[in-house]
Amino acid sequence: MSYNSKIIDASGNSRELRKIWGQQTGKILAPVSTKAIFFDGTSGLADQSDHIEIGDHDAFSFTDGVNDKPFSISVWAYVGNIATDDGPFVTKAFVSGVGETEYIFKHSNGLLRMFLYSGSGVGNRIKLYSNAPVLSSETWHNIVFTYNGNKASPVMKFYLDGATVAAAQTEDAPYGGQTNTSQPLRIGNTNNEPPQDGQAFEDQMADVVIFNKELTATEVLEVFGGTQGAAGTGRVKDMSNFSAAANIISWWKMGDGDNSSGTNGVRDSIGGYHGTLKNGAKIVNAKNLKSDYKLITV
């Protein structure tokens, strides 16, 4: 029996597998996530700035036509400089369109923001703002948004690296609940025309996950996979082993196993809602991004 397989970690370092696992040759322990998608943040019309286009699906609209439904979004993001960089993580929005906006999850110079709309791009929305900038420059962070799905008594929350973020929630009257629009889901920008400042994400995003439930604080900490509230101690989780995996709508690994060109090259590992890299968004090595490891056969 031979034990000469190698493990390659997220930083590109190699070690003999036998020292940490002891499986036969042909079995390696590989990191779940070593890649990310880079966005240059160039402002312009939506179809001119880089993003990931996933398209319109009912699974991304959290309403039954009368009542809202709970949902959560988790993103791993790296921002080079929070003093100059901003932009959306995940959106389903036509910013200048009336009746065509559902939600915008973003940051503005490290300040977390979520806008949950009642169909209109102006007013009729719930807003959640972190009380202060919470992202750090040149640091991977896990950012989670949750919503309880109760339009009469809405509760929205932010979590950063497993810990609750102090935030203010306000409501524009009247918020009438979410609508199901025809807008595509986009990672990295909004479907806006004419262009607006702050509507194109700059820098890197890794694993993006959407859930059809309001994650609990315990589940958020599980997604982060590290010490609560400690930047840099977490790791991208193998979401197939998540305790609430049945509630995952989509899991985009953002580069790992994806294609750099072609339609549906950004693979959804859970729901099959694949995305396409647009206008220069590209796959890069996510150096220093920590990750779970998974035993695979090679």
Side-chain angles (χ1 to χ4, degrees), residues 54 185 207-208 210 250-254 266-268 273:
I54 290 137
L185 188 84
D207 291 39
V208 175
I210 299 181
S250 293
W251 172 25
W252 298 281
K253 296 182 182 180
M254 301 289 281
V266 181
R267 310 298 291 173
D268 175 3
Y273 301 112

Side-chain angles (χ1 to χ4, degrees), residues 203-238:
D203 295 310
Q204 297 183 32
M205 274 190 267
D207 291 39
V208 175
V209 190
I210 299 181
F211 308 83
N212 64 3
K213 69 167 294 186
E214 178 190 19
L215 294 181
T216 66
T218 299
E219 290 167 337
V220 170
L221 186 57
E222 181 186 355
V223 171
F224 176 56
T227 303
Q228 186 179 56
T233 65
R235 62 189 185 276
V236 176
K237 184 175 179 59
D238 179 356

Side-chain angles (χ1 to χ4, degrees), residues 18-41:
R18 66 187 180 201
K19 294 180 180 179
I20 60 171
W21 196 263
Q23 295 292 324
Q24 297 182 41
T25 300
K27 297 282 188 179
I28 65 170
L29 204 59
V32 171
S33 184
T34 64
K35 305 289 185 180
I37 305 296
F38 174 77
F39 306 85
D40 65 15

Side-chain angles (χ1 to χ4, degrees), residues 4 37 51 61 68 88 125 157 170 176 178 221 273 281 287 291:
N4 62 358
I37 305 296
H51 62 280
S61 296
D68 283 1
R125 63 186 181 180
K157 296 179 182 178
T170 62
Q178 296 181 77
L221 186 57
Y273 301 112
K287 189 174 182 180
S291 171

Side-chain angles (χ1 to χ4, degrees), residues 87-89 104-108 111-115 197-199:
F89 304 121
I104 301 173
F105 179 30
K106 65 174 293 183
H107 86 96
S108 179
L111 179 77
L112 300 183
R113 295 181 175 182
M114 181 66 174
F115 303 91
D197 290 339
Q199 300 300 339

Side-chain angles (χ1 to χ4, degrees), residues 268-285:
D268 175 3
S269 299
I270 299 292
Y273 301 112
H274 309 310
T276 302
L277 293 171
K278 293 280 192 176
N279 303 320
K282 61 184 179 181
I283 298 171
V284 297
N285 291 321

